[in-house]
Amino acid sequence: MALIRNSKLRPRILVVGGGYLGLVTAQNLLKNLGRGEATVTVIDPNPYMTYQPFLPEVAAGSIEPRHAVVPLRRNLPGAEVITGKVTSINHADKFVVVEPENDEPFELDYDHIVMAAGSVARTLPIPGLKENAIGLKRIEEAVALRDHLLSRLADAALMEDDDERRKALTFVFVGGGFAGIELLAELEDVVRSAIAQYETLTEADVRFVLVEALGRVMPEVGEAQARWVVEHLRERGIDVYLETFLQDCTDKRVKLSNGEEFDADTIVWSAGVKANPVLIDSDLPIDERGRVTVRADLRVEGEDGVVEGAWAAGDNAAVPDLSGGGVGGYCVPNAQHAVRQAPVLAANVLAALRGETEFKQYFHKTIGSVAGLGLYKGVSQMGDFEARGLLAWLMHRAYHGYAIPSIDRKVKVFGNWILNFVLGRDTTELVDLDVPRKSFVEAAESKPVPKKEEPVKA
Ligand SMILES: Cc1cc2nc3c(=O)[nH]c(=O)nc-3n(C[C@H](O)[C@H](O)[C@H](O)COP(=O)(O)OP(=O)(O)OC[C@H]3O[C@@H](n4cnc5c(N)ncnc54)[C@H](O)[C@@H]3O)c2cc1C
């Protein structure tokens, strides 16, 4: 190991993950800590927090990628922000191993650890899935998806082989939860509007397919709303297969459990999440789903009781849902919980730091759900109040425009929406983002201009 950074002048509160929970917890800590009382250190592989509810709109081009991320250093003045990945946690000796992207790993010690490393895609061992599918948890995936889909249109427009063209224009989405449906609907919307710009393509050339293992979509809304969503998607020409599994997608040949088989160049996997696997490389107690186990006061608790100095919430934790509404008695992994758990967590860490023994309990009754389904279309459920179409879409935008942290991001997001409303949505893909030096290398390798023969002087 390169070095043990034992540079603590004061107690260190180490926040692993600068996502929704990590950012808001750190902000609350910084706001309430006394001068010199503790160092707040936030470690994340990204220098920004990603506002994941906006990923479908980033993929659709309604929001600029940089506007859907919140820079950590700018929004955490006074904190120590480390851009790197925590690869293991040794709580018995209170240190973590950090791996920066381009540097040697090092160990970092702490007094309190806040596990806020979120979740990752929950995949299955389906042949071809790892090689051919893409998920949607990161801003880079949203950007790549957008460019990929739009470039498939441009490629297909020049294809003469029908099979090749069909494959290029077949887009398969696996998982009919909230995130999967939003992404599918947003991308279908943008592809349909982009296709109008091609003379050689028609809407009938494009095929969108949703594959969902359960008999319904969107468990976050009631049965009636879920049925409406399926009807709505089918009216838009999307093939919705319920009670159907993806069985194989080797070489992008999609095989479904209903016997159907076809080629698809785009396979998007949104079939749920699992707790960050970094917890498996830790000595913190985890449950059978890999989530760190916590009490309602967000202190980590194992079989032997409370683990002093360890805290967790958000997607990587099994937080008891005291409202009685959670799945299996635990809060579902969503931003609504993460953002509300953060201030409770920060207050309790401060209390522990100050030697107090009374801790707040986390309690939140879900207020409902709002989802965008493409421009001017949405669905929502707030208790018994159900909305569909334009109203739900406006509610979705109002809620998330308000919920993204930092005034500067709110202004930019609303600015994006207003500009797009006035000027129209941008349906241009950027190409070669993964090979930015391509044209420079081509230029360097291009043939020299042939020398002209010197005219013979008389
Ligand atoms: C497409 C999509 C749409 C969604 N829409 C909604 C919605 O409409 N409403 C809603 O309530 N919820 C929604 N969610 C869920 C919501 O975004 C998450 O529940 C929420 O972000 C959880 O917060 P968190 O802080 O626990 O995790 P995250 O916000 O995921 O933060 C985890 C952080 O940990 C970092 N990290 C990961 N590994 C490491 C490591 N080894 N070391 C250090 N840091 C690490 C990550 O980079 C990340 O910044 C959506 C999610 C997705 C993917």
Side-chain angles (χ1 to χ4, degrees), residues 17 19-21 44-45 52-53 85-86 118 136 276 314-315 334-336 400:
Y20 216 171
L21 178 80
D44 198 294
Q52 292 170 12
K85 190 174 176 179
V86 169
L136 187 70
N276 195 313
D315 283 12
N334 67 22
Q336 203 181 126
H400 287 296

Side-chain angles (χ1 to χ4, degrees), residues 434-458:
D434 50 344
V435 276
R437 295 178 61 253
K438 185 176 154 190
S439 74
F440 181 76
V441 171
E442 282 172 0
E445 290 173 353
S446 59
K447 288 185 195 163
V449 178
K451 284 212 174 91
K452 282 196 181 147
E453 280 188 19
E454 289 286 313
V456 183
K457 284 191 185 143

Side-chain angles (χ1 to χ4, degrees), residues 220 323 334-337 339-340 362 364-370 380-385 395 399 402-403:
E220 300 83 353
S323 79
N334 67 22
Q336 203 181 126
H337 280 301
V339 71
R340 287 172 178 81
Y362 174 69
H364 170 65
K365 199 164 176 329
T366 296
I367 42 176
S369 307
V370 284
S380 79
Q381 173 117 29
M382 304 293 211
D384 290 337
F385 178 72
M395 289 165 69
Y399 174 75
Y402 157 79

Side-chain angles (χ1 to χ4, degrees), residues 15-23 42-45 72 86 114-118:
V15 183
V16 180
Y20 216 171
L21 178 80
L23 170 69
V42 179
I43 308 182
D44 198 294
L72 294 177
V86 169
V114 175
M115 283 309 302

